[in-house]
Amino acid sequence: DIDYFFEQRLILIEKRRAASLVTNGLLDNKSIEMTGFMLALEFDEGLVTEFLLVPVMGACSHKPVPPANQIIYVKAKQAIEAGSPYMPIKVTGMLHITPQEKDLYLVDGQKNIEMSYTLEDTLVEPIVSTF
């Protein structure tokens, strides 16, 4: 029965969505240091203060959007140079569980991205390759 399979598909989609929103309460209000890739939300003369930290290069723009619980909205302590659009970075700051949505503007349009965590007043350091 094809209707049964479509129904099961919708149930599976909802289960996966719910799983993508699960956060780890042990991380709330904890100081962390983490690496990832910067996807700038706003540019001001080549400088960035707000961006998404994603776990893989090209996420959101060239690859599927990671689950919300793998994306961190970052507000940098100081503006940093945007550099490469997929710049690897290290962030240090206080992590908060704050589910929200932001618009990411891309060359071919915009995407509404869900995220589960926030880092504010964050120290951001580029990761420099040594090879």
Side-chain angles (χ1 to χ4, degrees):
D1 179 14
I2 193 72
D3 290 331
Y4 170 80
F5 288 113
F6 280 122
E7 199 175 290
Q8 293 304 306
R9 178 180 176 270
L10 294 175
I11 291 169
L12 182 60
I13 288 170
E14 183 51 39
K15 284 183 179 182
R16 286 183 176 172
R17 176 168 162 55
S20 78
L21 300 174
V22 173
T23 57
N24 184 341
L26 296 174
L27 297 174
D28 196 23
N29 299 313
K30 298 289 183 188
S31 180
I32 66 151
E33 179 178 286
M34 179 180 284
T35 60
F37 296 89
M38 174 195 294
L39 283 176
L41 291 172
E42 304 245 350
F43 290 94
D44 185 17
E45 297 181 18
L47 299 176
V48 176
T49 56
E50 296 181 26
F51 60 90
L52 302 179
L53 183 71
V54 294
V56 294
M57 184 174 13
C60 299
S61 57
H62 296 296
K63 295 182 180 180
V65 176
N69 57 11
Q70 293 182 18
I71 301 175
I72 301 174
Y73 170 65
V74 179
K75 290 181 103 174
K77 188 179 284 194
Q78 295 180 328
I80 60 168
E81 284 190 48
S84 159
Y86 306 109
M87 187 168 132
I89 56 170
K90 178 173 77 170
V91 295
T92 306
M94 189 68 68
L95 188 69
H96 303 285
I97 297 174
T98 49
Q100 58 185 310
E101 297 178 12
K102 296 283 183 184
D103 286 329
L104 179 63
Y105 296 94
L106 306 165
V107 174
D108 60 348
Q110 81 179 48
K111 284 185 185 178
N112 187 269
I113 308 293
E114 290 181 287
M115 63 223 62
S116 297
Y117 297 98
T118 299
L119 279 170
E120 292 192 21
D121 202 26
T122 307
L123 176 62
V124 181
E125 303 172 67
I127 295 176
V128 181
S129 175
T130 56
F131 58 97

